[in-house]
Amino acid sequence: AQKVTQAQTEISVVEKEDVTLDCVYETRDTTYYLFWYKQPPSGELVFLIRRNSFDEQNEISGRYSWNFQKSTSSFNFTITASQVVDSAVYFCALSEAISSGSARQLTFGSGTQLTVLP
Amino acid sequence: DAGVTQSPTHLIKTRGQQVTLRCSPKSGHDTVSWYQQALGQGPQFIFQYYEEEERQRGNFPDRFSGHQFPNYSSELNVNALLLGDSALYLCASGEQMTYGYTFGSGTRLTVV
Protein backbone atom coordinates (compact mmCIF):
# COMPACT_ATOMS: atom_id res chain seq x y z
CA ALA A 1 0.00 0.00 0.00
CA GLN A 2 1.12 3.53 -0.69
CA LYS A 3 1.48 6.15 2.00
CA VAL A 4 2.54 9.80 2.11
CA THR A 5 3.51 11.47 5.37
CA GLN A 6 3.72 15.21 5.89
CA ALA A 7 4.75 15.50 9.52
CA GLN A 8 4.54 19.30 9.64
CA THR A 9 0.90 20.21 10.22
CA GLU A 10 1.46 23.97 10.37
CA ILE A 11 4.42 26.23 9.67
CA SER A 12 4.57 29.97 10.23
CA VAL A 13 7.36 32.16 8.87
CA VAL A 14 8.01 35.84 8.38
CA GLU A 15 8.11 37.17 4.84
CA LYS A 16 11.46 36.72 3.05
CA GLU A 17 12.42 33.73 5.18
CA ASP A 18 13.17 30.42 3.47
CA VAL A 19 10.94 27.48 4.39
CA THR A 20 11.12 23.75 3.68
CA LEU A 21 8.11 21.46 3.63
CA ASP A 22 8.87 17.82 4.28
CA CYS A 23 7.37 14.81 2.51
CA VAL A 24 8.14 11.14 3.15
CA TYR A 25 6.53 8.40 1.09
CA GLU A 26 6.15 4.64 1.11
CA THR A 27 5.59 2.43 -1.93
CA ARG A 28 6.53 -1.04 -3.11
CA ASP A 29 6.64 0.07 -6.72
CA THR A 30 9.93 0.68 -8.45
CA THR A 31 8.32 3.16 -10.83
CA TYR A 32 6.19 5.90 -9.38
CA TYR A 33 5.48 9.62 -9.59
CA LEU A 34 5.60 12.29 -6.92
CA PHE A 35 3.68 15.54 -6.93
CA TRP A 36 3.30 18.76 -4.99
CA TYR A 37 0.05 20.72 -5.03
CA LYS A 38 -0.90 24.07 -3.48
CA GLN A 39 -4.40 24.62 -2.11
CA PRO A 40 -5.35 28.24 -1.48
CA PRO A 41 -8.51 29.09 0.50
CA SER A 42 -10.55 28.88 -2.72
CA GLY A 43 -10.13 25.10 -2.54
CA GLU A 44 -8.71 24.38 -5.96
CA LEU A 45 -5.60 22.21 -6.00
CA VAL A 46 -2.91 23.93 -8.04
CA PHE A 47 -0.28 21.70 -9.60
CA LEU A 48 3.32 22.66 -8.78
CA ILE A 49 5.56 19.80 -9.88
CA ARG A 50 5.67 16.16 -10.97
CA ARG A 51 8.76 14.01 -10.66
CA ASN A 52 9.24 10.36 -11.65
CA SER A 53 11.16 7.86 -9.57
CA PHE A 54 14.03 7.62 -12.05
CA ASP A 55 14.86 11.29 -12.00
CA GLU A 56 16.61 12.28 -8.79
CA GLN A 57 17.88 15.60 -10.04
CA ASN A 58 16.85 18.52 -7.92
CA GLU A 59 14.65 21.04 -9.65
CA ILE A 60 14.37 24.77 -9.28
CA SER A 61 11.57 26.94 -10.58
CA GLY A 62 11.90 30.56 -9.55
CA ARG A 63 11.64 30.69 -5.77
CA TYR A 64 10.59 27.04 -5.59
CA SER A 65 12.96 24.08 -5.41
CA TRP A 66 12.49 20.38 -4.83
CA ASN A 67 14.89 17.83 -3.33
CA PHE A 68 14.12 14.21 -4.24
CA GLN A 69 16.12 11.60 -2.32
CA LYS A 70 15.19 8.04 -3.15
CA SER A 71 17.50 6.65 -0.45
CA THR A 72 15.41 8.29 2.26
CA SER A 73 12.07 8.19 0.36
CA SER A 74 11.74 11.94 0.68
CA PHE A 75 10.59 14.67 -1.68
CA ASN A 76 11.00 17.98 0.11
CA PHE A 77 9.87 21.37 -1.12
CA THR A 78 11.65 24.64 -0.38
CA ILE A 79 10.34 28.14 -0.90
CA THR A 80 13.07 30.77 -0.96
CA ALA A 81 12.34 34.32 0.16
CA SER A 82 8.74 33.50 1.06
CA GLN A 83 5.93 35.92 0.30
CA VAL A 84 2.51 36.43 1.85
CA VAL A 85 0.93 35.03 -1.33
CA ASP A 86 2.63 31.72 -0.61
CA SER A 87 0.27 31.21 2.34
CA ALA A 88 -1.75 28.06 1.58
CA VAL A 89 -1.99 24.37 2.33
CA TYR A 90 0.60 22.33 0.47
CA PHE A 91 0.09 18.67 -0.37
CA CYS A 92 2.56 16.03 -1.42
CA ALA A 93 1.11 13.15 -3.43
CA LEU A 94 2.20 9.81 -4.90
CA SER A 95 1.00 7.87 -7.91
CA GLU A 96 1.90 4.48 -9.25
CA ALA A 97 3.12 4.27 -12.82
CA ILE A 98 0.52 3.93 -15.50
CA SER A 99 -0.36 0.36 -16.35
CA SER A 100 -3.14 -1.43 -18.15
CA GLY A 101 -3.98 1.77 -19.98
CA SER A 102 -5.30 3.46 -16.87
CA ALA A 103 -3.87 6.55 -15.20
CA ARG A 104 -3.37 5.80 -11.53
CA GLN A 105 -4.95 7.45 -8.54
CA LEU A 106 -3.15 9.97 -6.36
CA THR A 107 -2.40 9.20 -2.71
CA PHE A 108 -2.10 12.46 -0.77
CA GLY A 109 -0.42 13.40 2.47
CA SER A 110 -2.39 15.27 5.11
CA GLY A 111 -0.95 18.61 4.04
CA THR A 112 1.07 21.40 5.61
CA GLN A 113 -0.57 24.75 6.34
CA LEU A 114 1.98 27.45 5.54
CA THR A 115 1.38 30.94 6.87
CA VAL A 116 3.70 33.72 5.74
CA LEU A 117 3.45 36.78 7.93
CA PRO A 118 4.18 40.27 6.58
CA ASP B 1 -9.97 27.71 -22.08
CA ALA B 2 -12.11 26.71 -19.10
CA GLY B 3 -10.55 24.42 -16.55
CA VAL B 4 -12.46 21.88 -14.54
CA THR B 5 -15.92 23.13 -13.59
CA GLN B 6 -17.85 21.75 -10.64
CA SER B 7 -21.40 22.44 -9.53
CA PRO B 8 -22.84 23.38 -7.19
CA THR B 9 -20.16 25.15 -5.16
CA HIS B 10 -21.96 24.66 -1.86
CA LEU B 11 -24.69 22.31 -0.77
CA ILE B 12 -26.51 21.55 2.47
CA LYS B 13 -28.35 18.25 2.81
CA THR B 14 -30.12 16.39 5.58
CA ARG B 15 -28.89 13.06 6.87
CA GLY B 16 -30.45 10.21 4.90
CA GLN B 17 -30.93 12.25 1.73
CA GLN B 18 -29.27 11.69 -1.62
CA VAL B 19 -27.02 14.15 -3.46
CA THR B 20 -25.64 14.53 -6.99
CA LEU B 21 -22.50 16.53 -7.73
CA ARG B 22 -21.43 17.45 -11.24
CA CYS B 23 -18.12 17.93 -13.00
CA SER B 24 -17.17 19.17 -16.46
CA PRO B 25 -13.59 18.26 -17.33
CA LYS B 26 -11.04 20.51 -18.92
CA SER B 27 -11.25 20.64 -22.71
CA GLY B 28 -9.34 17.73 -24.23
CA HIS B 29 -9.47 15.59 -21.11
CA ASP B 30 -11.22 12.21 -21.21
CA THR B 31 -10.71 10.91 -17.67
CA VAL B 32 -12.42 12.11 -14.52
CA SER B 33 -11.53 11.26 -10.92
CA TRP B 34 -13.37 12.18 -7.75
CA TYR B 35 -11.78 12.87 -4.37
CA GLN B 36 -13.24 13.52 -0.92
CA GLN B 37 -11.41 15.98 1.32
CA ALA B 38 -12.52 16.13 4.93
CA LEU B 39 -11.65 19.24 6.90
CA GLY B 40 -7.95 19.36 7.77
CA GLN B 41 -7.09 16.27 5.76
CA GLY B 42 -5.70 15.41 2.36
CA PRO B 43 -7.97 14.37 -0.51
CA GLN B 44 -9.00 10.70 -0.58
CA PHE B 45 -9.57 8.95 -3.91
CA ILE B 46 -13.16 7.83 -4.50
CA PHE B 47 -13.15 6.55 -8.08
CA GLN B 48 -12.10 7.25 -11.64
CA TYR B 49 -14.09 7.13 -14.87
CA TYR B 50 -12.83 6.62 -18.39
CA GLU B 51 -14.86 5.71 -21.49
CA GLU B 52 -18.01 5.88 -19.35
CA GLU B 53 -16.83 3.08 -17.09
CA GLU B 54 -15.54 3.05 -13.52
CA ARG B 55 -11.88 2.07 -13.87
CA GLN B 56 -10.57 2.35 -10.34
CA ARG B 57 -12.20 2.66 -6.94
CA GLY B 58 -10.91 3.71 -3.58
CA ASN B 59 -12.05 2.48 -0.19
CA PHE B 60 -15.54 3.97 -0.26
CA PRO B 61 -18.87 2.19 0.31
CA ASP B 62 -21.39 1.45 -2.43
CA ARG B 63 -23.39 4.49 -1.31
CA PHE B 64 -20.93 6.40 -3.49
CA SER B 65 -21.58 5.89 -7.18
CA GLY B 66 -20.85 7.77 -10.34
CA HIS B 67 -21.40 8.15 -13.99
CA GLN B 68 -19.55 9.51 -16.99
CA PHE B 69 -21.38 10.82 -20.02
CA PRO B 70 -20.34 10.68 -23.70
CA ASN B 71 -19.13 14.29 -23.48
CA TYR B 72 -16.76 13.19 -20.65
CA SER B 73 -18.61 15.09 -17.94
CA SER B 74 -19.29 13.18 -14.76
CA GLU B 75 -21.60 12.93 -11.78
CA LEU B 76 -20.95 11.73 -8.27
CA ASN B 77 -23.96 10.38 -6.38
CA VAL B 78 -24.07 9.74 -2.67
CA ASN B 79 -27.06 7.93 -1.15
CA ALA B 80 -28.22 7.75 2.46
CA LEU B 81 -26.05 10.66 3.52
CA LEU B 82 -24.24 10.48 6.83
CA LEU B 83 -22.89 13.36 8.89
CA GLY B 84 -19.42 12.02 8.09
CA ASP B 85 -19.98 12.64 4.39
CA SER B 86 -19.59 16.36 5.02
CA ALA B 87 -16.50 17.33 3.04
CA LEU B 88 -15.09 19.13 0.03
CA TYR B 89 -15.57 16.96 -3.06
CA LEU B 90 -12.96 17.56 -5.72
CA CYS B 91 -13.09 16.54 -9.34
CA ALA B 92 -9.88 16.06 -11.30
CA SER B 93 -9.64 15.55 -15.03
CA GLY B 94 -6.82 14.29 -17.18
CA GLU B 95 -5.88 12.27 -20.19
CA GLN B 96 -5.38 8.53 -20.13
CA MET B 97 -1.71 7.48 -20.18
CA THR B 98 -0.61 10.88 -18.82
CA TYR B 99 -0.18 12.42 -15.39
CA GLY B 100 -1.59 15.85 -16.07
CA TYR B 101 -4.33 16.06 -13.46
CA THR B 102 -6.29 19.31 -13.29
CA PHE B 103 -8.50 19.90 -10.27
CA GLY B 104 -11.68 21.90 -9.93
CA SER B 105 -12.49 24.17 -7.00
CA GLY B 106 -14.75 21.56 -5.48
CA THR B 107 -18.23 21.26 -4.02
CA ARG B 108 -18.54 21.87 -0.30
CA LEU B 109 -21.15 19.41 1.02
CA THR B 110 -22.55 19.86 4.50
CA VAL B 111 -24.78 17.14 5.95
CA VAL B 112 -26.94 18.20 8.90
PDB file of all heavy atoms in Angstrom, chain A residues 83-107:
ATOM      1  N   GLN A  83       6.790  34.746   0.433  1.00  0.00           N
ATOM      2  CA  GLN A  83       5.930  35.919   0.301  1.00  0.00           C
ATOM      3  C   GLN A  83       4.567  35.602   0.904  1.00  0.00           C
ATOM      4  O   GLN A  83       4.173  34.431   1.005  1.00  0.00           O
ATOM      5  CB  GLN A  83       5.777  36.284  -1.179  1.00  0.00           C
ATOM      6  CG  GLN A  83       7.078  36.624  -1.871  1.00  0.00           C
ATOM      7  CD  GLN A  83       6.887  36.904  -3.358  1.00  0.00           C
ATOM      8  OE1 GLN A  83       5.778  36.870  -3.876  1.00  0.00           O
ATOM      9  NE2 GLN A  83       7.989  37.197  -4.035  1.00  0.00           N
ATOM     10  N   VAL A  84       3.825  36.622   1.250  1.00  0.00           N
ATOM     11  CA  VAL A  84       2.509  36.434   1.855  1.00  0.00           C
ATOM     12  C   VAL A  84       1.610  35.608   0.935  1.00  0.00           C
ATOM     13  O   VAL A  84       0.814  34.779   1.402  1.00  0.00           O
ATOM     14  CB  VAL A  84       1.859  37.796   2.177  1.00  0.00           C
ATOM     15  CG1 VAL A  84       0.418  37.620   2.632  1.00  0.00           C
ATOM     16  CG2 VAL A  84       2.674  38.536   3.231  1.00  0.00           C
ATOM     17  N   VAL A  85       1.756  35.779  -0.380  1.00  0.00           N
ATOM     18  CA  VAL A  85       0.929  35.034  -1.335  1.00  0.00           C
ATOM     19  C   VAL A  85       1.221  33.542  -1.340  1.00  0.00           C
ATOM     20  O   VAL A  85       0.473  32.759  -1.924  1.00  0.00           O
ATOM     21  CB  VAL A  85       1.072  35.577  -2.770  1.00  0.00           C
ATOM     22  CG1 VAL A  85       0.511  36.979  -2.854  1.00  0.00           C
ATOM     23  CG2 VAL A  85       2.523  35.525  -3.219  1.00  0.00           C
ATOM     24  N   ASP A  86       2.319  33.144  -0.698  1.00  0.00           N
ATOM     25  CA  ASP A  86       2.629  31.721  -0.605  1.00  0.00           C
ATOM     26  C   ASP A  86       1.790  31.022   0.468  1.00  0.00           C
ATOM     27  O   ASP A  86       1.787  29.794   0.567  1.00  0.00           O
ATOM     28  CB  ASP A  86       4.117  31.511  -0.280  1.00  0.00           C
ATOM     29  CG  ASP A  86       5.039  31.987  -1.388  1.00  0.00           C
ATOM     30  OD1 ASP A  86       4.635  31.903  -2.572  1.00  0.00           O
ATOM     31  OD2 ASP A  86       6.155  32.449  -1.075  1.00  0.00           O
ATOM     32  N   SER A  87       1.092  31.788   1.273  1.00  0.00           N
ATOM     33  CA  SER A  87       0.266  31.207   2.336  1.00  0.00           C
ATOM     34  C   SER A  87      -0.812  30.313   1.722  1.00  0.00           C
ATOM     35  O   SER A  87      -1.606  30.760   0.886  1.00  0.00           O
ATOM     36  CB  SER A  87      -0.382  32.313   3.173  1.00  0.00           C
ATOM     37  OG  SER A  87       0.589  33.082   3.839  1.00  0.00           O
ATOM     38  N   ALA A  88      -0.820  29.058   2.134  1.00  0.00           N
ATOM     39  CA  ALA A  88      -1.752  28.059   1.580  1.00  0.00           C
ATOM     40  C   ALA A  88      -1.482  26.730   2.268  1.00  0.00           C
ATOM     41  O   ALA A  88      -0.570  26.619   3.086  1.00  0.00           O
ATOM     42  CB  ALA A  88      -1.561  27.906   0.077  1.00  0.00           C
ATOM     43  N   VAL A  89      -2.280  25.738   1.900  1.00  0.00           N
ATOM     44  CA  VAL A  89      -1.987  24.369   2.326  1.00  0.00           C
ATOM     45  C   VAL A  89      -1.269  23.688   1.170  1.00  0.00           C
ATOM     46  O   VAL A  89      -1.699  23.785   0.014  1.00  0.00           O
ATOM     47  CB  VAL A  89      -3.261  23.583   2.680  1.00  0.00           C
ATOM     48  CG1 VAL A  89      -2.903  22.169   3.134  1.00  0.00           C
ATOM     49  CG2 VAL A  89      -4.046  24.309   3.776  1.00  0.00           C
ATOM     50  N   TYR A  90      -0.189  23.002   1.481  1.00  0.00           N
ATOM     51  CA  TYR A  90       0.601  22.326   0.466  1.00  0.00           C
ATOM     52  C   TYR A  90       0.513  20.822   0.672  1.00  0.00           C
ATOM     53  O   TYR A  90       0.696  20.319   1.782  1.00  0.00           O
ATOM     54  CB  TYR A  90       2.057  22.783   0.521  1.00  0.00           C
ATOM     55  CG  TYR A  90       2.240  24.208   0.051  1.00  0.00           C
ATOM     56  CD1 TYR A  90       2.044  25.280   0.923  1.00  0.00           C
ATOM     57  CD2 TYR A  90       2.559  24.496  -1.276  1.00  0.00           C
ATOM     58  CE1 TYR A  90       2.190  26.590   0.503  1.00  0.00           C
ATOM     59  CE2 TYR A  90       2.702  25.803  -1.711  1.00  0.00           C
ATOM     60  CZ  TYR A  90       2.511  26.840  -0.817  1.00  0.00           C
ATOM     61  OH  TYR A  90       2.651  28.142  -1.257  1.00  0.00           O
ATOM     62  N   PHE A  91       0.225  20.117  -0.429  1.00  0.00           N
ATOM     63  CA  PHE A  91       0.087  18.667  -0.372  1.00  0.00           C
ATOM     64  C   PHE A  91       1.138  17.992  -1.232  1.00  0.00           C
ATOM     65  O   PHE A  91       1.403  18.405  -2.363  1.00  0.00           O
ATOM     66  CB  PHE A  91      -1.293  18.243  -0.889  1.00  0.00           C
ATOM     67  CG  PHE A  91      -2.420  18.597   0.025  1.00  0.00           C
ATOM     68  CD1 PHE A  91      -3.178  19.736  -0.208  1.00  0.00           C
ATOM     69  CD2 PHE A  91      -2.727  17.788   1.107  1.00  0.00           C
ATOM     70  CE1 PHE A  91      -4.229  20.075   0.635  1.00  0.00           C
ATOM     71  CE2 PHE A  91      -3.775  18.123   1.960  1.00  0.00           C
ATOM     72  CZ  PHE A  91      -4.520  19.263   1.721  1.00  0.00           C
ATOM     73  N   CYS A  92       1.702  16.942  -0.679  1.00  0.00           N
ATOM     74  CA  CYS A  92       2.560  16.034  -1.421  1.00  0.00           C
ATOM     75  C   CYS A  92       1.705  14.828  -1.797  1.00  0.00           C
ATOM     76  O   CYS A  92       0.827  14.404  -1.018  1.00  0.00           O
ATOM     77  CB  CYS A  92       3.724  15.617  -0.520  1.00  0.00           C
ATOM     78  SG  CYS A  92       4.917  14.510  -1.258  1.00  0.00           S
ATOM     79  N   ALA A  93       1.922  14.276  -2.983  1.00  0.00           N
ATOM     80  CA  ALA A  93       1.113  13.147  -3.429  1.00  0.00           C
ATOM     81  C   ALA A  93       1.963  12.154  -4.207  1.00  0.00           C
ATOM     82  O   ALA A  93       3.008  12.504  -4.758  1.00  0.00           O
ATOM     83  CB  ALA A  93      -0.058  13.629  -4.287  1.00  0.00           C
ATOM     84  N   LEU A  94       1.484  10.923  -4.263  1.00  0.00           N
ATOM     85  CA  LEU A  94       2.203   9.811  -4.896  1.00  0.00           C
ATOM     86  C   LEU A  94       1.274   9.072  -5.827  1.00  0.00           C
ATOM     87  O   LEU A  94       0.090   8.877  -5.511  1.00  0.00           O
ATOM     88  CB  LEU A  94       2.699   8.869  -3.781  1.00  0.00           C
ATOM     89  CG  LEU A  94       3.303   7.517  -4.135  1.00  0.00           C
ATOM     90  CD1 LEU A  94       4.623   7.696  -4.862  1.00  0.00           C
ATOM     91  CD2 LEU A  94       3.505   6.696  -2.866  1.00  0.00           C
ATOM     92  N   SER A  95       1.804   8.647  -6.974  1.00  0.00           N
ATOM     93  CA  SER A  95       1.004   7.872  -7.908  1.00  0.00           C
ATOM     94  C   SER A  95       1.843   6.734  -8.456  1.00  0.00           C
ATOM     95  O   SER A  95       3.031   6.919  -8.748  1.00  0.00           O
ATOM     96  CB  SER A  95       0.517   8.759  -9.051  1.00  0.00           C
ATOM     97  OG  SER A  95      -0.161   8.006 -10.026  1.00  0.00           O
ATOM     98  N   GLU A  96       1.221   5.571  -8.591  1.00  0.00           N
ATOM     99  CA  GLU A  96       1.904   4.478  -9.252  1.00  0.00           C
ATOM    100  C   GLU A  96       2.077   4.808 -10.725  1.00  0.00           C
ATOM    101  O   GLU A  96       1.389   5.669 -11.259  1.00  0.00           O
ATOM    102  CB  GLU A  96       1.088   3.194  -9.126  1.00  0.00           C
ATOM    103  CG  GLU A  96       0.872   2.738  -7.709  1.00  0.00           C
ATOM    104  CD  GLU A  96      -0.173   1.623  -7.662  1.00  0.00           C
ATOM    105  OE1 GLU A  96      -0.917   1.459  -8.633  1.00  0.00           O
ATOM    106  OE2 GLU A  96      -0.224   0.927  -6.628  1.00  0.00           O
ATOM    107  N   ALA A  97       2.945   4.074 -11.381  1.00  0.00           N
ATOM    108  CA  ALA A  97       3.118   4.271 -12.818  1.00  0.00           C
ATOM    109  C   ALA A  97       1.887   3.768 -13.549  1.00  0.00           C
ATOM    110  O   ALA A  97       1.167   2.901 -13.070  1.00  0.00           O
ATOM    111  CB  ALA A  97       4.357   3.514 -13.295  1.00  0.00           C
ATOM    112  N   ILE A  98       1.653   4.329 -14.677  1.00  0.00           N
ATOM    113  CA  ILE A  98       0.516   3.932 -15.496  1.00  0.00           C
ATOM    114  C   ILE A  98       0.689   2.497 -15.956  1.00  0.00           C
ATOM    115  O   ILE A  98       1.748   2.092 -16.392  1.00  0.00           O
ATOM    116  CB  ILE A  98       0.382   4.862 -16.706  1.00  0.00           C
ATOM    117  CG1 ILE A  98      -0.119   6.231 -16.251  1.00  0.00           C
ATOM    118  CG2 ILE A  98      -0.550   4.283 -17.743  1.00  0.00           C
ATOM    119  CD1 ILE A  98      -0.141   7.248 -17.361  1.00  0.00           C
ATOM    120  N   SER A  99      -0.375   1.734 -15.853  1.00  0.00           N
ATOM    121  CA  SER A  99      -0.357   0.359 -16.354  1.00  0.00           C
ATOM    122  C   SER A  99      -1.750   0.016 -16.834  1.00  0.00           C
ATOM    123  O   SER A  99      -2.721   0.654 -16.445  1.00  0.00           O
ATOM    124  CB  SER A  99       0.081  -0.617 -15.258  1.00  0.00           C
ATOM    125  OG  SER A  99      -0.847  -0.610 -14.199  1.00  0.00           O
ATOM    126  N   SER A 100      -1.846  -0.979 -17.635  1.00  0.00           N
ATOM    127  CA  SER A 100      -3.138  -1.430 -18.146  1.00  0.00           C
ATOM    128  C   SER A 100      -3.954  -0.284 -18.748  1.00  0.00           C
ATOM    129  O   SER A 100      -5.176  -0.314 -18.688  1.00  0.00           O
ATOM    130  CB  SER A 100      -3.950  -2.097 -17.022  1.00  0.00           C
ATOM    131  OG  SER A 100      -3.227  -3.140 -16.447  1.00  0.00           O
ATOM    132  N   GLY A 101      -3.277   0.690 -19.293  1.00  0.00           N
ATOM    133  CA  GLY A 101      -3.977   1.770 -19.978  1.00  0.00           C
ATOM    134  C   GLY A 101      -4.780   2.673 -19.064  1.00  0.00           C
ATOM    135  O   GLY A 101      -5.659   3.377 -19.524  1.00  0.00           O
ATOM    136  N   SER A 102      -4.492   2.676 -17.800  1.00  0.00           N
ATOM    137  CA  SER A 102      -5.304   3.465 -16.873  1.00  0.00           C
ATOM    138  C   SER A 102      -4.427   4.337 -16.010  1.00  0.00           C
ATOM    139  O   SER A 102      -3.554   3.839 -15.304  1.00  0.00           O
ATOM    140  CB  SER A 102      -6.135   2.532 -15.998  1.00  0.00           C
ATOM    141  OG  SER A 102      -6.882   3.259 -15.056  1.00  0.00           O
ATOM    142  N   ALA A 103      -4.626   5.633 -16.055  1.00  0.00           N
ATOM    143  CA  ALA A 103      -3.866   6.546 -15.195  1.00  0.00           C
ATOM    144  C   ALA A 103      -4.188   6.240 -13.741  1.00  0.00           C
ATOM    145  O   ALA A 103      -5.327   5.989 -13.383  1.00  0.00           O
ATOM    146  CB  ALA A 103      -4.215   7.991 -15.516  1.00  0.00           C
ATOM    147  N   ARG A 104      -3.187   6.246 -12.900  1.00  0.00           N
ATOM    148  CA  ARG A 104      -3.365   5.803 -11.535  1.00  0.00           C
ATOM    149  C   ARG A 104      -3.825   6.914 -10.603  1.00  0.00           C
ATOM    150  O   ARG A 104      -3.611   8.076 -10.846  1.00  0.00           O
ATOM    151  CB  ARG A 104      -2.054   5.210 -11.020  1.00  0.00           C
ATOM    152  CG  ARG A 104      -1.430   4.164 -11.917  1.00  0.00           C
ATOM    153  CD  ARG A 104      -2.355   3.019 -12.214  1.00  0.00           C
ATOM    154  NE  ARG A 104      -2.593   2.187 -11.057  1.00  0.00           N
ATOM    155  CZ  ARG A 104      -3.402   1.116 -11.068  1.00  0.00           C
ATOM    156  NH1 ARG A 104      -4.053   0.809 -12.148  1.00  0.00           N
ATOM    157  NH2 ARG A 104      -3.551   0.400  -9.983  1.00  0.00           N
ATOM    158  N   GLN A 105      -4.439   6.500  -9.527  1.00  0.00           N
ATOM    159  CA  GLN A 105      -4.949   7.452  -8.537  1.00  0.00           C
ATOM    160  C   GLN A 105      -3.804   8.104  -7.788  1.00  0.00           C
ATOM    161  O   GLN A 105      -2.684   7.601  -7.741  1.00  0.00           O
ATOM    162  CB  GLN A 105      -5.828   6.717  -7.535  1.00  0.00           C
ATOM    163  CG  GLN A 105      -5.037   5.734  -6.666  1.00  0.00           C
ATOM    164  CD  GLN A 105      -5.935   4.795  -5.907  1.00  0.00           C
ATOM    165  OE1 GLN A 105      -6.632   3.985  -6.499  1.00  0.00           O
ATOM    166  NE2 GLN A 105      -5.933   4.933  -4.593  1.00  0.00           N
ATOM    167  N   LEU A 106      -4.104   9.254  -7.198  1.00  0.00           N
ATOM    168  CA  LEU A 106      -3.152   9.967  -6.360  1.00  0.00           C
ATOM    169  C   LEU A 106      -3.405   9.628  -4.892  1.00  0.00           C
ATOM    170  O   LEU A 106      -4.556   9.621  -4.444  1.00  0.00           O
ATOM    171  CB  LEU A 106      -3.302  11.475  -6.551  1.00  0.00           C
ATOM    172  CG  LEU A 106      -2.858  12.047  -7.901  1.00  0.00           C
ATOM    173  CD1 LEU A 106      -3.320  13.488  -8.041  1.00  0.00           C
ATOM    174  CD2 LEU A 106      -1.356  11.957  -8.046  1.00  0.00           C
ATOM    175  N   THR A 107      -2.329   9.360  -4.164  1.00  0.00           N
ATOM    176  CA  THR A 107      -2.398   9.204  -2.714  1.00  0.00           C
ATOM    177  C   THR A 107      -1.763  10.453  -2.110  1.00  0.00           C
ATOM    178  O   THR A 107      -0.587  10.729  -2.349  1.00  0.00           O
ATOM    179  CB  THR A 107      -1.632   7.954  -2.255  1.00  0.00           C
ATOM    180  OG1 THR A 107      -2.231   6.799  -2.846  1.00  0.00           O
ATOM    181  CG2 THR A 107      -1.675   7.835  -0.730  1.00  0.00           C
TER     182      THR A 107
END
